[in-house]
Amino acid sequence: ERYESMKKIILDCDPGMDDSMAIVMAVKSPEVDVKAITTVNGNYPVDITALNALKVLEMLGRTDIPVAKGMPEPMFREKPKDPFTHGKDGQAENFLPDPVTPLSEKHAIDMIIDVVKENPGEIYILSTGPMSNIAMAMKKAPEIKDEIGQIVLMGGALTVPGNCNACMEANISQDPEAADYLFRSGAPTTMIGLDVTLQTLLTYKETQQWRDLGTKAGKFLADMTDFYIKAYETTSPHLGGCGLHDPLAVGVAVDPTLVTTLDINMKVDVEGPTRGRTIGDETRLNDPAKTMKVAVGVDVPRFLNEFMTRISGLAAKAE
């Protein structure tokens, strides 16, 4: 019965470290019923992202959640990978044991369509990687646009520079065409971009709390986050920590009041020097129907408290 009041979520991701933390946060949030995890080519090739999702679920003891492997490449063009930030295995070289749980036999695109159709109007699709699976699902079954409860995506940058170049964020960079398709689709979408995720920082102080617990899960989370912070010290030394990009998207799916949003119809540039830029769509500027919200402010102390409460609950788990 308790599922009735819980938010039903599909987590579409490309783990990746902050994706792994997002999986932990979603599964450890009592308000959330994770119906499926779908993985996409992004931080790593899709075979690795699917494996990493299974590894995290096995660590959490939640092998009841199906994992479906999705798009092995972007909708149109191949993009290079950057394994520097996340380590050789995508999880800070913790090398969790290989999972024994099999992947779902369904393709991620079909998993998304089926779960939405089984729960019309109720599914939150949480996107923490490139949007290839979601865009392809909407292409294959256009009617799901009106059956999705809400899409919450980590990606883009509206009021701050990008983290790939002056105007392009990493998840968008991997598949700008898919993001543009989604942004223009009219599906109800909230964009959690660098505007807010770079305000939610984790530092060595927080990771030391996990390490001090003396558990295997605490060590895994601390090692993974410290690795991520070290990458930030090279790329963004001015921040003093690592951005909680994907976990913030989970936080907002659970509690939309964590962020202040701007109602604006968006597009993604797919050509020329601004390819990958997320920007207001001038052709729909005066359209009274605004289908997208962009987060421009965030309640940092409240989110960090919620994040630490959920993650520390896992870290304290004795093995």
PDB file of all heavy atoms in Angstrom, residues 107-141:
ATOM      1  N   HIS A 107      15.130  -3.891 -24.244  1.00  0.00           N
ATOM      2  CA  HIS A 107      15.954  -2.721 -24.551  1.00  0.00           C
ATOM      3  C   HIS A 107      15.432  -1.561 -23.712  1.00  0.00           C
ATOM      4  O   HIS A 107      14.231  -1.484 -23.412  1.00  0.00           O
ATOM      5  CB  HIS A 107      15.842  -2.386 -26.042  1.00  0.00           C
ATOM      6  CG  HIS A 107      16.860  -1.380 -26.503  1.00  0.00           C
ATOM      7  ND1 HIS A 107      16.729  -0.028 -26.255  1.00  0.00           N
ATOM      8  CD2 HIS A 107      18.015  -1.527 -27.203  1.00  0.00           C
ATOM      9  CE1 HIS A 107      17.764   0.609 -26.783  1.00  0.00           C
ATOM     10  NE2 HIS A 107      18.566  -0.278 -27.361  1.00  0.00           N
ATOM     11  N   ALA A 108      16.328  -0.660 -23.325  1.00  0.00           N
ATOM     12  CA  ALA A 108      15.930   0.477 -22.481  1.00  0.00           C
ATOM     13  C   ALA A 108      14.778   1.278 -23.091  1.00  0.00           C
ATOM     14  O   ALA A 108      13.893   1.747 -22.372  1.00  0.00           O
ATOM     15  CB  ALA A 108      17.132   1.389 -22.250  1.00  0.00           C
ATOM     16  N   ILE A 109      14.787   1.447 -24.421  1.00  0.00           N
ATOM     17  CA  ILE A 109      13.724   2.222 -25.085  1.00  0.00           C
ATOM     18  C   ILE A 109      12.363   1.572 -24.808  1.00  0.00           C
ATOM     19  O   ILE A 109      11.386   2.258 -24.447  1.00  0.00           O
ATOM     20  CB  ILE A 109      13.991   2.307 -26.606  1.00  0.00           C
ATOM     21  CG1 ILE A 109      15.234   3.160 -26.873  1.00  0.00           C
ATOM     22  CG2 ILE A 109      12.785   2.858 -27.351  1.00  0.00           C
ATOM     23  CD1 ILE A 109      15.708   3.111 -28.311  1.00  0.00           C
ATOM     24  N   ASP A 110      12.293   0.250 -24.939  1.00  0.00           N
ATOM     25  CA  ASP A 110      11.036  -0.457 -24.696  1.00  0.00           C
ATOM     26  C   ASP A 110      10.678  -0.474 -23.213  1.00  0.00           C
ATOM     27  O   ASP A 110       9.493  -0.413 -22.856  1.00  0.00           O
ATOM     28  CB  ASP A 110      11.116  -1.888 -25.242  1.00  0.00           C
ATOM     29  CG  ASP A 110      11.277  -1.896 -26.757  1.00  0.00           C
ATOM     30  OD1 ASP A 110      10.594  -1.087 -27.412  1.00  0.00           O
ATOM     31  OD2 ASP A 110      12.102  -2.667 -27.269  1.00  0.00           O
ATOM     32  N   MET A 111      11.694  -0.543 -22.361  1.00  0.00           N
ATOM     33  CA  MET A 111      11.441  -0.497 -20.906  1.00  0.00           C
ATOM     34  C   MET A 111      10.778   0.831 -20.544  1.00  0.00           C
ATOM     35  O   MET A 111       9.797   0.866 -19.796  1.00  0.00           O
ATOM     36  CB  MET A 111      12.760  -0.678 -20.140  1.00  0.00           C
ATOM     37  CG  MET A 111      12.614  -0.620 -18.630  1.00  0.00           C
ATOM     38  SD  MET A 111      11.764  -2.066 -17.936  1.00  0.00           S
ATOM     39  CE  MET A 111      13.138  -3.234 -17.820  1.00  0.00           C
ATOM     40  N   ILE A 112      11.307   1.933 -21.075  1.00  0.00           N
ATOM     41  CA  ILE A 112      10.740   3.261 -20.788  1.00  0.00           C
ATOM     42  C   ILE A 112       9.291   3.323 -21.271  1.00  0.00           C
ATOM     43  O   ILE A 112       8.382   3.719 -20.524  1.00  0.00           O
ATOM     44  CB  ILE A 112      11.590   4.379 -21.448  1.00  0.00           C
ATOM     45  CG1 ILE A 112      12.949   4.502 -20.744  1.00  0.00           C
ATOM     46  CG2 ILE A 112      10.848   5.724 -21.416  1.00  0.00           C
ATOM     47  CD1 ILE A 112      13.967   5.370 -21.460  1.00  0.00           C
ATOM     48  N   ILE A 113       9.051   2.899 -22.519  1.00  0.00           N
ATOM     49  CA  ILE A 113       7.690   2.945 -23.085  1.00  0.00           C
ATOM     50  C   ILE A 113       6.736   2.095 -22.246  1.00  0.00           C
ATOM     51  O   ILE A 113       5.645   2.542 -21.864  1.00  0.00           O
ATOM     52  CB  ILE A 113       7.698   2.470 -24.559  1.00  0.00           C
ATOM     53  CG1 ILE A 113       8.469   3.459 -25.431  1.00  0.00           C
ATOM     54  CG2 ILE A 113       6.272   2.286 -25.084  1.00  0.00           C
ATOM     55  CD1 ILE A 113       8.799   2.940 -26.830  1.00  0.00           C
ATOM     56  N   ASP A 114       7.151   0.866 -21.922  1.00  0.00           N
ATOM     57  CA  ASP A 114       6.266  -0.056 -21.198  1.00  0.00           C
ATOM     58  C   ASP A 114       5.940   0.455 -19.794  1.00  0.00           C
ATOM     59  O   ASP A 114       4.781   0.399 -19.361  1.00  0.00           O
ATOM     60  CB  ASP A 114       6.895  -1.449 -21.110  1.00  0.00           C
ATOM     61  CG  ASP A 114       6.953  -2.140 -22.469  1.00  0.00           C
ATOM     62  OD1 ASP A 114       6.341  -1.624 -23.422  1.00  0.00           O
ATOM     63  OD2 ASP A 114       7.621  -3.193 -22.575  1.00  0.00           O
ATOM     64  N   VAL A 115       6.950   0.943 -19.077  1.00  0.00           N
ATOM     65  CA  VAL A 115       6.717   1.400 -17.702  1.00  0.00           C
ATOM     66  C   VAL A 115       5.809   2.632 -17.702  1.00  0.00           C
ATOM     67  O   VAL A 115       4.905   2.754 -16.864  1.00  0.00           O
ATOM     68  CB  VAL A 115       8.049   1.687 -16.964  1.00  0.00           C
ATOM     69  CG1 VAL A 115       7.802   2.329 -15.601  1.00  0.00           C
ATOM     70  CG2 VAL A 115       8.849   0.398 -16.783  1.00  0.00           C
ATOM     71  N   VAL A 116       6.012   3.546 -18.662  1.00  0.00           N
ATOM     72  CA  VAL A 116       5.146   4.731 -18.756  1.00  0.00           C
ATOM     73  C   VAL A 116       3.703   4.302 -19.036  1.00  0.00           C
ATOM     74  O   VAL A 116       2.757   4.779 -18.406  1.00  0.00           O
ATOM     75  CB  VAL A 116       5.658   5.718 -19.832  1.00  0.00           C
ATOM     76  CG1 VAL A 116       4.621   6.795 -20.130  1.00  0.00           C
ATOM     77  CG2 VAL A 116       6.968   6.359 -19.378  1.00  0.00           C
ATOM     78  N   LYS A 117       3.535   3.371 -19.994  1.00  0.00           N
ATOM     79  CA  LYS A 117       2.181   2.941 -20.368  1.00  0.00           C
ATOM     80  C   LYS A 117       1.475   2.175 -19.242  1.00  0.00           C
ATOM     81  O   LYS A 117       0.258   2.223 -19.110  1.00  0.00           O
ATOM     82  CB  LYS A 117       2.235   2.086 -21.645  1.00  0.00           C
ATOM     83  CG  LYS A 117       2.463   2.935 -22.900  1.00  0.00           C
ATOM     84  CD  LYS A 117       2.452   2.081 -24.140  1.00  0.00           C
ATOM     85  CE  LYS A 117       2.450   2.915 -25.404  1.00  0.00           C
ATOM     86  NZ  LYS A 117       1.225   3.710 -25.573  1.00  0.00           N
ATOM     87  N   GLU A 118       2.267   1.473 -18.433  1.00  0.00           N
ATOM     88  CA  GLU A 118       1.676   0.744 -17.306  1.00  0.00           C
ATOM     89  C   GLU A 118       1.272   1.680 -16.158  1.00  0.00           C
ATOM     90  O   GLU A 118       0.486   1.311 -15.293  1.00  0.00           O
ATOM     91  CB  GLU A 118       2.683  -0.294 -16.766  1.00  0.00           C
ATOM     92  CG  GLU A 118       2.844  -1.514 -17.671  1.00  0.00           C
ATOM     93  CD  GLU A 118       4.170  -2.244 -17.432  1.00  0.00           C
ATOM     94  OE1 GLU A 118       4.819  -1.982 -16.382  1.00  0.00           O
ATOM     95  OE2 GLU A 118       4.555  -3.060 -18.283  1.00  0.00           O
ATOM     96  N   ASN A 119       1.842   2.886 -16.151  1.00  0.00           N
ATOM     97  CA  ASN A 119       1.586   3.842 -15.065  1.00  0.00           C
ATOM     98  C   ASN A 119       1.294   5.226 -15.645  1.00  0.00           C
ATOM     99  O   ASN A 119       2.021   6.184 -15.379  1.00  0.00           O
ATOM    100  CB  ASN A 119       2.808   3.933 -14.138  1.00  0.00           C
ATOM    101  CG  ASN A 119       3.237   2.594 -13.574  1.00  0.00           C
ATOM    102  OD1 ASN A 119       2.756   2.169 -12.541  1.00  0.00           O
ATOM    103  ND2 ASN A 119       4.154   1.912 -14.265  1.00  0.00           N
ATOM    104  N   PRO A 120       0.241   5.359 -16.471  1.00  0.00           N
ATOM    105  CA  PRO A 120       0.030   6.624 -17.195  1.00  0.00           C
ATOM    106  C   PRO A 120      -0.115   7.820 -16.252  1.00  0.00           C
ATOM    107  O   PRO A 120      -0.837   7.751 -15.258  1.00  0.00           O
ATOM    108  CB  PRO A 120      -1.257   6.370 -17.989  1.00  0.00           C
ATOM    109  CG  PRO A 120      -1.903   5.191 -17.350  1.00  0.00           C
ATOM    110  CD  PRO A 120      -0.807   4.381 -16.753  1.00  0.00           C
ATOM    111  N   GLY A 121       0.641   8.865 -16.555  1.00  0.00           N
ATOM    112  CA  GLY A 121       0.572  10.106 -15.782  1.00  0.00           C
ATOM    113  C   GLY A 121       1.330  10.075 -14.472  1.00  0.00           C
ATOM    114  O   GLY A 121       1.390  11.078 -13.762  1.00  0.00           O
ATOM    115  N   GLU A 122       1.939   8.925 -14.137  1.00  0.00           N
ATOM    116  CA  GLU A 122       2.540   8.789 -12.810  1.00  0.00           C
ATOM    117  C   GLU A 122       4.067   8.718 -12.821  1.00  0.00           C
ATOM    118  O   GLU A 122       4.692   8.855 -11.774  1.00  0.00           O
ATOM    119  CB  GLU A 122       2.021   7.511 -12.131  1.00  0.00           C
ATOM    120  CG  GLU A 122       0.533   7.527 -11.834  1.00  0.00           C
ATOM    121  CD  GLU A 122       0.110   6.325 -11.012  1.00  0.00           C
ATOM    122  OE1 GLU A 122       0.779   5.275 -11.118  1.00  0.00           O
ATOM    123  OE2 GLU A 122      -0.867   6.437 -10.276  1.00  0.00           O
ATOM    124  N   ILE A 123       4.654   8.460 -13.972  1.00  0.00           N
ATOM    125  CA  ILE A 123       6.094   8.181 -13.995  1.00  0.00           C
ATOM    126  C   ILE A 123       6.914   9.465 -14.107  1.00  0.00           C
ATOM    127  O   ILE A 123       6.679  10.300 -14.978  1.00  0.00           O
ATOM    128  CB  ILE A 123       6.457   7.231 -15.155  1.00  0.00           C
ATOM    129  CG1 ILE A 123       5.862   5.841 -14.913  1.00  0.00           C
ATOM    130  CG2 ILE A 123       7.976   7.134 -15.347  1.00  0.00           C
ATOM    131  CD1 ILE A 123       6.453   5.071 -13.753  1.00  0.00           C
ATOM    132  N   TYR A 124       7.884   9.573 -13.200  1.00  0.00           N
ATOM    133  CA  TYR A 124       8.913  10.598 -13.317  1.00  0.00           C
ATOM    134  C   TYR A 124      10.094   9.938 -14.016  1.00  0.00           C
ATOM    135  O   TYR A 124      10.613   8.931 -13.526  1.00  0.00           O
ATOM    136  CB  TYR A 124       9.367  11.079 -11.941  1.00  0.00           C
ATOM    137  CG  TYR A 124       8.449  12.092 -11.305  1.00  0.00           C
ATOM    138  CD1 TYR A 124       7.147  11.740 -10.955  1.00  0.00           C
ATOM    139  CD2 TYR A 124       8.870  13.392 -11.061  1.00  0.00           C
ATOM    140  CE1 TYR A 124       6.292  12.670 -10.372  1.00  0.00           C
ATOM    141  CE2 TYR A 124       8.026  14.324 -10.488  1.00  0.00           C
ATOM    142  CZ  TYR A 124       6.740  13.953 -10.144  1.00  0.00           C
ATOM    143  OH  TYR A 124       5.903  14.876  -9.580  1.00  0.00           O
ATOM    144  N   ILE A 125      10.490  10.488 -15.165  1.00  0.00           N
ATOM    145  CA  ILE A 125      11.712   9.989 -15.803  1.00  0.00           C
ATOM    146  C   ILE A 125      12.843  10.895 -15.348  1.00  0.00           C
ATOM    147  O   ILE A 125      12.811  12.107 -15.561  1.00  0.00           O
ATOM    148  CB  ILE A 125      11.616   9.987 -17.337  1.00  0.00           C
ATOM    149  CG1 ILE A 125      10.477   9.069 -17.798  1.00  0.00           C
ATOM    150  CG2 ILE A 125      12.942   9.529 -17.950  1.00  0.00           C
ATOM    151  CD1 ILE A 125      10.291   8.999 -19.304  1.00  0.00           C
ATOM    152  N   LEU A 126      13.807  10.290 -14.686  1.00  0.00           N
ATOM    153  CA  LEU A 126      14.934  11.030 -14.150  1.00  0.00           C
ATOM    154  C   LEU A 126      16.129  10.763 -15.048  1.00  0.00           C
ATOM    155  O   LEU A 126      16.589   9.626 -15.145  1.00  0.00           O
ATOM    156  CB  LEU A 126      15.175  10.518 -12.734  1.00  0.00           C
ATOM    157  CG  LEU A 126      16.076  11.306 -11.821  1.00  0.00           C
ATOM    158  CD1 LEU A 126      15.663  12.756 -11.780  1.00  0.00           C
ATOM    159  CD2 LEU A 126      16.008  10.713 -10.429  1.00  0.00           C
ATOM    160  N   SER A 127      16.591  11.790 -15.748  1.00  0.00           N
ATOM    161  CA  SER A 127      17.671  11.627 -16.723  1.00  0.00           C
ATOM    162  C   SER A 127      18.951  12.238 -16.167  1.00  0.00           C
ATOM    163  O   SER A 127      19.005  13.435 -15.908  1.00  0.00           O
ATOM    164  CB  SER A 127      17.288  12.323 -18.034  1.00  0.00           C
ATOM    165  OG  SER A 127      18.408  12.432 -18.873  1.00  0.00           O
ATOM    166  N   THR A 128      19.992  11.387 -15.982  1.00  0.00           N
ATOM    167  CA  THR A 128      21.266  11.912 -15.472  1.00  0.00           C
ATOM    168  C   THR A 128      22.412  11.642 -16.442  1.00  0.00           C
ATOM    169  O   THR A 128      23.580  11.661 -16.056  1.00  0.00           O
ATOM    170  CB  THR A 128      21.586  11.315 -14.078  1.00  0.00           C
ATOM    171  OG1 THR A 128      21.733   9.898 -14.196  1.00  0.00           O
ATOM    172  CG2 THR A 128      20.495  11.640 -13.078  1.00  0.00           C
ATOM    173  N   GLY A 129      22.075  11.365 -17.694  1.00  0.00           N
ATOM    174  CA  GLY A 129      23.086  11.164 -18.735  1.00  0.00           C
ATOM    175  C   GLY A 129      22.605  11.798 -20.024  1.00  0.00           C
ATOM    176  O   GLY A 129      21.655  12.591 -20.026  1.00  0.00           O
ATOM    177  N   PRO A 130      23.221  11.463 -21.146  1.00  0.00           N
ATOM    178  CA  PRO A 130      22.698  11.911 -22.437  1.00  0.00           C
ATOM    179  C   PRO A 130      21.251  11.429 -22.616  1.00  0.00           C
ATOM    180  O   PRO A 130      20.865  10.404 -22.044  1.00  0.00           O
ATOM    181  CB  PRO A 130      23.630  11.239 -23.450  1.00  0.00           C
ATOM    182  CG  PRO A 130      24.874  10.955 -22.690  1.00  0.00           C
ATOM    183  CD  PRO A 130      24.458  10.676 -21.279  1.00  0.00           C
ATOM    184  N   MET A 131      20.469  12.163 -23.378  1.00  0.00           N
ATOM    185  CA  MET A 131      19.021  11.895 -23.457  1.00  0.00           C
ATOM    186  C   MET A 131      18.641  10.963 -24.607  1.00  0.00           C
ATOM    187  O   MET A 131      17.481  10.904 -25.032  1.00  0.00           O
ATOM    188  CB  MET A 131      18.267  13.222 -23.562  1.00  0.00           C
ATOM    189  CG  MET A 131      18.174  13.930 -22.226  1.00  0.00           C
ATOM    190  SD  MET A 131      18.876  15.598 -22.242  1.00  0.00           S
ATOM    191  CE  MET A 131      20.073  15.492 -20.916  1.00  0.00           C
ATOM    192  N   SER A 132      19.606  10.177 -25.102  1.00  0.00           N
ATOM    193  CA  SER A 132      19.391   9.327 -26.285  1.00  0.00           C
ATOM    194  C   SER A 132      18.245   8.343 -26.090  1.00  0.00           C
ATOM    195  O   SER A 132      17.384   8.202 -26.970  1.00  0.00           O
ATOM    196  CB  SER A 132      20.676   8.561 -26.614  1.00  0.00           C
ATOM    197  OG  SER A 132      21.827   9.362 -26.442  1.00  0.00           O
ATOM    198  N   ASN A 133      18.206   7.629 -24.938  1.00  0.00           N
ATOM    199  CA  ASN A 133      17.144   6.634 -24.716  1.00  0.00           C
ATOM    200  C   ASN A 133      15.763   7.278 -24.679  1.00  0.00           C
ATOM    201  O   ASN A 133      14.806   6.763 -25.262  1.00  0.00           O
ATOM    202  CB  ASN A 133      17.355   5.901 -23.373  1.00  0.00           C
ATOM    203  CG  ASN A 133      18.497   4.910 -23.398  1.00  0.00           C
ATOM    204  OD1 ASN A 133      18.903   4.445 -24.457  1.00  0.00           O
ATOM    205  ND2 ASN A 133      19.008   4.584 -22.228  1.00  0.00           N
ATOM    206  N   ILE A 134      15.659   8.407 -23.978  1.00  0.00           N
ATOM    207  CA  ILE A 134      14.354   9.047 -23.789  1.00  0.00           C
ATOM    208  C   ILE A 134      13.843   9.603 -25.114  1.00  0.00           C
ATOM    209  O   ILE A 134      12.673   9.418 -25.481  1.00  0.00           O
ATOM    210  CB  ILE A 134      14.442  10.155 -22.718  1.00  0.00           C
ATOM    211  CG1 ILE A 134      14.950   9.560 -21.406  1.00  0.00           C
ATOM    212  CG2 ILE A 134      13.082  10.820 -22.515  1.00  0.00           C
ATOM    213  CD1 ILE A 134      15.374  10.592 -20.386  1.00  0.00           C
ATOM    214  N   ALA A 135      14.724  10.265 -25.869  1.00  0.00           N
ATOM    215  CA  ALA A 135      14.318  10.820 -27.163  1.00  0.00           C
ATOM    216  C   ALA A 135      13.895   9.703 -28.114  1.00  0.00           C
ATOM    217  O   ALA A 135      12.882   9.823 -28.823  1.00  0.00           O
ATOM    218  CB  ALA A 135      15.460  11.636 -27.772  1.00  0.00           C
ATOM    219  N   MET A 136      14.633   8.597 -28.115  1.00  0.00           N
ATOM    220  CA  MET A 136      14.290   7.485 -29.004  1.00  0.00           C
ATOM    221  C   MET A 136      12.976   6.822 -28.583  1.00  0.00           C
ATOM    222  O   MET A 136      12.188   6.395 -29.432  1.00  0.00           O
ATOM    223  CB  MET A 136      15.426   6.455 -29.040  1.00  0.00           C
ATOM    224  CG  MET A 136      16.683   6.958 -29.733  1.00  0.00           C
ATOM    225  SD  MET A 136      16.426   7.403 -31.475  1.00  0.00           S
ATOM    226  CE  MET A 136      16.351   5.791 -32.233  1.00  0.00           C
ATOM    227  N   ALA A 137      12.715   6.747 -27.279  1.00  0.00           N
ATOM    228  CA  ALA A 137      11.442   6.194 -26.802  1.00  0.00           C
ATOM    229  C   ALA A 137      10.287   7.075 -27.272  1.00  0.00           C
ATOM    230  O   ALA A 137       9.241   6.577 -27.714  1.00  0.00           O
ATOM    231  CB  ALA A 137      11.446   6.082 -25.280  1.00  0.00           C
ATOM    232  N   MET A 138      10.479   8.386 -27.216  1.00  0.00           N
ATOM    233  CA  MET A 138       9.419   9.316 -27.644  1.00  0.00           C
ATOM    234  C   MET A 138       9.242   9.295 -29.158  1.00  0.00           C
ATOM    235  O   MET A 138       8.148   9.496 -29.669  1.00  0.00           O
ATOM    236  CB  MET A 138       9.725  10.722 -27.133  1.00  0.00           C
ATOM    237  CG  MET A 138       9.595  10.815 -25.628  1.00  0.00           C
ATOM    238  SD  MET A 138      10.166  12.373 -24.944  1.00  0.00           S
ATOM    239  CE  MET A 138       8.843  13.431 -25.427  1.00  0.00           C
ATOM    240  N   LYS A 139      10.325   9.028 -29.875  1.00  0.00           N
ATOM    241  CA  LYS A 139      10.227   8.886 -31.339  1.00  0.00           C
ATOM    242  C   LYS A 139       9.442   7.626 -31.702  1.00  0.00           C
ATOM    243  O   LYS A 139       8.618   7.616 -32.604  1.00  0.00           O
ATOM    244  CB  LYS A 139      11.638   8.783 -31.943  1.00  0.00           C
ATOM    245  CG  LYS A 139      12.133  10.041 -32.634  1.00  0.00           C
ATOM    246  CD  LYS A 139      13.486   9.755 -33.268  1.00  0.00           C
ATOM    247  CE  LYS A 139      13.546  10.249 -34.685  1.00  0.00           C
ATOM    248  NZ  LYS A 139      13.859  11.663 -34.827  1.00  0.00           N
ATOM    249  N   LYS A 140       9.731   6.545 -30.973  1.00  0.00           N
ATOM    250  CA  LYS A 140       9.105   5.251 -31.265  1.00  0.00           C
ATOM    251  C   LYS A 140       7.633   5.246 -30.846  1.00  0.00           C
ATOM    252  O   LYS A 140       6.799   4.640 -31.526  1.00  0.00           O
ATOM    253  CB  LYS A 140       9.871   4.138 -30.532  1.00  0.00           C
ATOM    254  CG  LYS A 140       9.331   2.743 -30.827  1.00  0.00           C
ATOM    255  CD  LYS A 140      10.212   1.646 -30.239  1.00  0.00           C
ATOM    256  CE  LYS A 140       9.635   0.266 -30.533  1.00  0.00           C
ATOM    257  NZ  LYS A 140      10.490  -0.812 -30.005  1.00  0.00           N
ATOM    258  N   ALA A 141       7.320   5.895 -29.714  1.00  0.00           N
ATOM    259  CA  ALA A 141       5.938   5.912 -29.202  1.00  0.00           C
ATOM    260  C   ALA A 141       5.575   7.354 -28.838  1.00  0.00           C
ATOM    261  O   ALA A 141       5.582   7.724 -27.660  1.00  0.00           O
ATOM    262  CB  ALA A 141       5.818   4.994 -27.992  1.00  0.00           C
TER     263      ALA A 141
END
